Amino acid sequence: DNLQEAYGHATHKLQISDVHRNTDLKEELARLPLNEYFDDRGTMRFARLGLSFAARHHEATKNNFGNWVDGPLMTIAGPKKQSARAYFLATEAIEKDAEYRATRKGKILEGLDRSQMHKVEDVQERQLQVLFSEVPNFRDHLPEGIREKHLLPLEASKEE
């Protein structure tokens, strides 16, 4: 993932404060098509930013999304001051939402039959295929005593 490499965060951990601090990140997110806010399973890639962030910052939808007031009220009120309490409450709400999604995802996965879930072995085999896609018959070239599970990325072996 290019964003993860460029900004040092996993995409699901990006927060609005990261976007405000880094104008390059903000521009990169604005250039993303809306379908890039989701992975191939439909899960949000930027879970802590939310869909409203995507809609407000995307070039095609930013002028048609949300509530807008045209007229003198906008100029009289001026910009709102930032509040530490409001930031804290918003961050807390986002974290609660992330916990709720994780709990709900766990419950959904518990309800699936083993036949419906990806088996760990199948996933690891696919990861090896992707990792060594440039090397035909890569297993023939491995030194003796090397276990394939040690070649997998660290995240792949968390469930073992």
Side-chain angles (χ1 to χ4, degrees):
D1 188 39
N2 293 340
L3 286 172
Q4 183 172 344
E5 291 171 11
Y7 303 106
H9 288 294
T11 54
H12 68 277
K13 291 185 178 182
L14 280 176
Q15 295 186 10
I16 194 71
S17 59
D18 297 324
V19 177
H20 286 301
R21 282 191 300 255
N22 191 327
T23 56
D24 293 336
L25 175 60
K26 184 176 183 175
E27 291 170 5
E28 179 115 13
L29 289 172
R31 284 192 301 267
L32 283 179
L34 287 177
N35 64 342
E36 289 295 319
Y37 280 79
F38 303 92
D39 65 11
D40 57 343
R41 294 179 307 244
T43 305
M44 288 187 58
R45 289 179 58 209
F46 311 106
R48 292 188 177 187
L49 294 179
L51 288 176
S52 59
F53 173 86
R56 279 195 317 265
H57 290 83
H58 189 263
E59 287 298 321
T61 59
K62 70 180 181 182
N63 294 327
N64 300 321
F65 181 80
N67 298 328
W68 296 96
V69 176
D70 292 328
L73 290 177
M74 291 290 285
T75 57
I76 293 171
K80 280 189 162 184
K81 292 184 179 179
Q82 298 283 332
S83 162
R85 183 174 188 266
Y87 176 80
F88 174 77
L89 292 174
T91 303
E92 189 176 66
I94 290 170
E95 288 174 0
K96 279 184 182 179
D97 189 46
E99 289 172 15
Y100 170 77
R101 283 193 313 270
T103 304
R104 186 159 184 315
K105 181 179 173 183
K107 287 179 183 177
I108 290 171
L109 289 175
E110 286 174 5
L112 292 176
D113 294 338
R114 290 289 283 166
S115 62
Q116 294 174 322
M117 294 177 61
H118 290 289
K119 293 181 180 157
V120 173
E121 296 83 21
D122 295 339
V123 172
Q124 289 177 342
E125 177 62 30
R126 180 66 183 136
Q127 287 175 330
L128 282 170
Q129 289 173 357
V130 170
L131 188 64
F132 293 104
S133 63
E134 300 290 321
V135 182
N137 302 321
F138 74 92
R139 286 182 174 90
D140 297 339
H141 305 287
L142 293 177
E144 286 187 39
I146 295 292
R147 299 176 71 185
E148 291 178 3
K149 72 177 189 176
H150 293 140
L151 300 173
L152 292 170
L154 293 177
E155 294 174 308
S157 61
K158 282 183 181 177
E159 303 240 343
E160 290 185 318

